[in-house]
Amino acid sequence: MFIKVVKDWIRRSNKLERIWLLAKIEFKLRYYENKLGLLWALIKPISDIFIYYIAFQKILNQGIPNFVSFLFIGLILWNFFVECTSGTVQILSTKKYLYEYTNMNKIEIYLSTILANCIGFFFNLFFFIIFYEFIDKGTLGLSWTAFYFIPIFINTVLLALAFSTILSSIYVLAKDITQIWMVITGIGFWVSPIVFNLEKFRTALPGADHVNPIAGIIINARNVLLYQKSPEWNLFVFDFIYAAILILIGAFLLNKVGSKASEKL
Amino acid sequence: MSTEHNFSIVARNISKTFQITEDSHNTVKHRLFNLFNPPRAKKVLALKSMSLDVVKGESIGLIGRNGSGKSTLTKLLAGVYKTDTGSIDINGTTMLMNLGVGMSHELTARENIYVSGSVLGLKIKDIDAIFDEIVDFAELREFIDTKIKFFSSGMVARLGFSIAVKAGADIMFLDEIFAVGDMKFQEKAVKVFESSWIKGKTVVLVSHTMDIIQKYCQRSAYLKKGELIYFGDTATAVEMYLKDNE
């Protein structure tokens, strides 16, 4: 299916333009329809940072240096993943108008929604960099290792796409996957090193950084952005393999179950 | 007319069966609690195995009584439904039009024009070029930046029809489209239909009005109870249909 999509793109060049158009409209609907506009994208991680800072740094006194930057990058990656996946569980129902009357490829609908989330993510990443470089005191600063963040983010997008196709296909058969996924992401948040010291996290939950793929993404993002280190290569490779396998499963389900969405939903 | 790329649609041995479940097993909870009590599924054979080709640029008619499988066949040929058996090769973009095209009620008329135009295969600069024509044809200039959820059903239908008229797809499936808008709008619609669709595109026309089928279609398919009884010249197909209605 993916090879067919790429071939189609080359043949009919309006596909990239269409994905971008749908992404812009999705982004506008999400952020510009309320009075706070784009600021809303930033308020969510800032309010989360405030709460977790009080709980984990002040009350539990974890002693993690530059805890706000540590939280900031972890939260925006996690929120990006959750928004992409939660926002696409019902996509075959909410975006039915796009494929019900034409032979448009459904994968474009997923890509446009994830692209809309990317715009919000880059907005947050920009503020993270400003905060980390110029406001947070005593940081190491960004170095050349920050370039590793590009493949790490691509990996996150691939995971989001894979989970989106899997979940939305399941939705065709079982509507309560929306609530079940909310519970899973709720658990996933705590089975990740977003708010915890990495050593304590690994001691308490050995192997969790491999079970939860976003845990590995966050660990490596912190290595390359906060600590001027290279990624942990085993996690880096493992998460790409994880994404590749899930994408194959997602493509299979979309082809088998998602293709019947127009008659089942 | 005979090389494979002269065809817009080549369908071979296609069939479609719908599974209608009587119980609501559409949640994970239901499925888990009823592991040993699977839902009773009723199979409805909507289309029996059939083959047909549509040549590029021709206009074919689909006729048959209610429940004969016309809508299912159009959805299969348009690539909206997946076939259970056989294969369909679709050569180009398709649009299934039944009193309008698919539009989001959360978007404005302007956004819907761009989204629909793009979905139908146009580039943004092509949509820019026909944008004013679409708005004027739909007679909706003063509501162009209003969300269409605030439109009347007639306004939505006019907008959908206008997008289809001006943007169009390579292969158009038109299901009883001559019922859109008031009389004045219908006259306009028929004129455009004759000048741009019939002459320039591949059209599959579904209608119960035999005058329309006879006027526009060179070949027609006659369906009865999900079976393709005849596919050939329109006069014979219409005759069979009328006999069935006696």
Side-chain angles (χ1 to χ4, degrees):
Chain A
M1 177 186 281
F2 289 94
I3 293 165
K4 188 172 170 270
V5 173
V6 174
K7 270 188 188 167
D8 273 355
W9 275 347
I10 296 162
R11 195 160 49 89
R12 296 220 326 273
S13 58
N14 96 314
K15 293 210 169 195
L16 284 175
E17 221 181 47
R18 182 193 305 166
I19 290 171
W20 179 237
L21 172 74
L22 291 172
K24 275 194 300 186
I25 290 175
E26 172 102 17
F27 185 77
K28 197 202 106 186
L29 278 180
R30 189 170 313 161
Y31 294 113
Y32 286 79
E33 297 252 307
N34 58 64
K35 284 183 182 153
L36 284 173
L38 196 55
L39 269 183
W40 191 247
L42 195 60
I43 287 172
K44 173 94 173 66
I46 287 176
S47 62
D48 288 347
I49 286 167
F50 179 74
I51 295 162
Y52 298 128
Y53 183 81
I54 300 285
F56 290 90
Q57 199 71 346
K58 289 288 171 199
I59 299 172
L60 295 174
N61 198 18
Q62 286 203 107
I64 296 170
N66 303 108
F67 189 63
V68 174
S69 293
F70 177 91
L71 270 177
F72 204 151
I73 189 64
L75 278 170
I76 63 173
L77 277 165
W78 177 258
N79 287 344
F80 168 76
F81 176 74
V82 172
E83 279 168 21
C84 282
T85 51
S86 305
T88 48
V89 174
Q90 298 184 21
I91 200 168
L92 292 175
S93 175
T94 55
K95 298 284 170 70
K96 202 177 174 187
Y97 76 97
L98 285 172
Y99 65 84
E100 197 178 22
Y101 296 89
T102 64
N103 57 346
M104 175 180 173
N105 198 317
K106 290 189 185 74
I107 205 77
E108 294 172 37
I109 305 173
Y110 292 87
L111 291 174
S112 63
T113 304
I114 290 172
L115 190 58
N117 283 311
C118 286
I119 302 171
F121 175 81
F122 288 131
F123 180 74
N124 280 336
L125 186 67
F126 172 75
F127 280 99
F128 162 76
I129 291 169
I130 299 284
F131 178 81
Y132 180 68
E133 280 288 283
F134 304 109
I135 301 170
D136 202 3
K137 293 198 172 71
T139 64
L140 294 174
L142 293 172
S143 75
W144 66 272
T145 58
F147 286 106
Y148 281 124
F149 186 70
I150 296 167
I152 291 170
F153 183 67
I154 290 170
N155 195 172
T156 317
V157 170
L158 293 176
L159 282 165
L161 177 65
F163 275 100
S164 297
T165 48
I166 292 170
L167 293 166
S168 58
S169 297
I170 295 173
Y171 179 82
V172 175
L173 301 173
K175 305 284 175 293
D176 55 350
I177 190 68
T178 313
Q179 287 79 18
I180 293 171
W181 184 242
M182 270 173 66
V183 174
I184 294 173
T185 51
I187 296 167
F189 179 88
W190 298 107
V191 185
S192 77
I194 297 172
V195 293
F196 304 120
N197 176 302
L198 183 57
E199 277 176 27
K200 282 182 187 166
F201 169 75
R202 279 183 160 151
T203 313
L205 299 167
D209 51 358
H210 285 77
V211 175
N212 179 357
I214 305 301
I217 296 277
I218 291 170
I219 291 166
N220 276 336
R222 282 173 180 157
N223 280 339
V224 303
L225 293 175
L226 302 182
Y227 308 133
Q228 298 190 353
K229 288 202 279 190
S230 296
E232 289 184 20
W233 292 109
N234 68 328
L235 264 182
F236 184 86
V237 173
F238 181 83
D239 277 344
F240 266 104
I241 295 170
Y242 209 138
I245 293 169
L246 290 175
I247 277 186
L248 288 177
I249 296 171
F252 173 78
L253 285 175
L254 191 62
N255 199 29
K256 280 277 166 202
V257 186
S259 61
K260 292 193 170 179
S262 56
E263 56 190 274
K264 298 247 183 216
L265 292 176
Chain B
M1 77 176 207
S2 317
T3 50
E4 213 44 27
H5 60 266
N6 275 341
F7 290 102
S8 282
I9 302 169
V10 178
R12 291 278 171 267
N13 306 318
I14 56 166
S15 69
K16 185 74 186 170
T17 302
F18 290 111
Q19 282 203 343
I20 300 162
T21 46
E22 288 170 9
D23 305 303
S24 61
H25 280 57
N26 60 356
T27 62
V28 173
K29 191 184 88 182
H30 259 104
R31 283 171 194 276
L32 283 177
F33 283 116
N34 293 284
L35 262 182
F36 302 104
N37 179 25
R40 278 167 290 171
K42 200 171 136 190
K43 289 189 174 178
V44 178
L45 181 61
L47 277 187
K48 292 173 189 166
S49 181
M50 62 178 72
S51 300
L52 55 97
D53 305 326
V54 181
V55 178
K56 251 184 200 167
E58 84 168 326
S59 175
I60 70 155
L62 282 188
I63 54 176
R65 296 178 64 179
N66 286 337
S68 60
K70 300 188 297 295
S71 293
T72 307
L73 181 58
T74 41
K75 284 182 175 166
L76 286 176
L77 295 179
V80 175
Y81 281 0
K82 204 180 170 195
T83 57
D84 291 342
T85 61
S87 65
I88 301 182
D89 282 334
I90 303 168
N91 197 356
T93 56
T94 68
M95 191 182 79
L96 206 152
M97 195 175 154
N98 183 357
L99 305 180
V101 291
M103 287 187 286
S104 168
H105 285 244
E106 285 304 315
L107 303 183
T108 64
R110 183 190 298 277
E111 288 163 344
N112 268 306
I113 290 172
Y114 276 91
V115 169
S116 297
S118 183
V119 167
L120 292 170
L122 295 183
K123 293 189 175 180
I124 300 294
K125 63 174 177 10
D126 299 329
I127 305 171
D128 288 337
I130 58 167
F131 183 81
D132 285 333
E133 289 175 40
I134 293 173
V135 178
D136 292 336
F137 193 87
E139 301 163 16
L140 289 171
R141 186 159 289 281
E142 56 195 303
F143 303 106
I144 194 64
D145 289 310
T146 305
K147 285 190 178 193
I148 67 165
K149 66 181 172 189
F150 300 115
F151 282 14
S152 70
S153 55
M155 289 161 85
V156 174
R158 273 188 349 240
L159 179 63
F161 195 89
S162 306
I163 293 169
V165 162
K166 300 293 176 186
D170 302 328
I171 312 161
M172 308 283 286
F173 295 82
L174 311 174
D175 195 343
E176 295 291 4
I177 52 145
F178 294 103
V180 177
D182 53 23
M183 253 174 65
K184 193 180 147 216
F185 190 78
Q186 279 179 23
E187 273 174 31
K188 241 170 47 170
V190 170
K191 263 188 207 159
V192 171
F193 176 76
E194 288 178 343
S195 64
S196 69
W197 285 351
I198 287 294
K199 283 181 188 156
K201 299 190 187 296
T202 307
V203 174
V204 177
L205 193 59
V206 182
S207 182
H208 286 291
T209 315
M210 291 305 113
D211 291 345
I212 289 176
I213 295 286
Q214 280 174 315
K215 189 172 175 190
Y216 298 116
C217 303
Q218 296 91 46
R219 294 195 298 157
S220 291
Y222 166 56
L223 290 120
K224 187 178 179 181
K225 291 179 182 164
E227 195 174 351
L228 179 64
I229 303 288
Y230 177 80
F231 184 39
D233 73 281
T234 297
T236 313
V238 169
E239 197 181 314
M240 292 172 94
Y241 171 73
L242 292 176
K243 204 177 255 179
D244 188 34
N245 275 278
E246 276 172 8

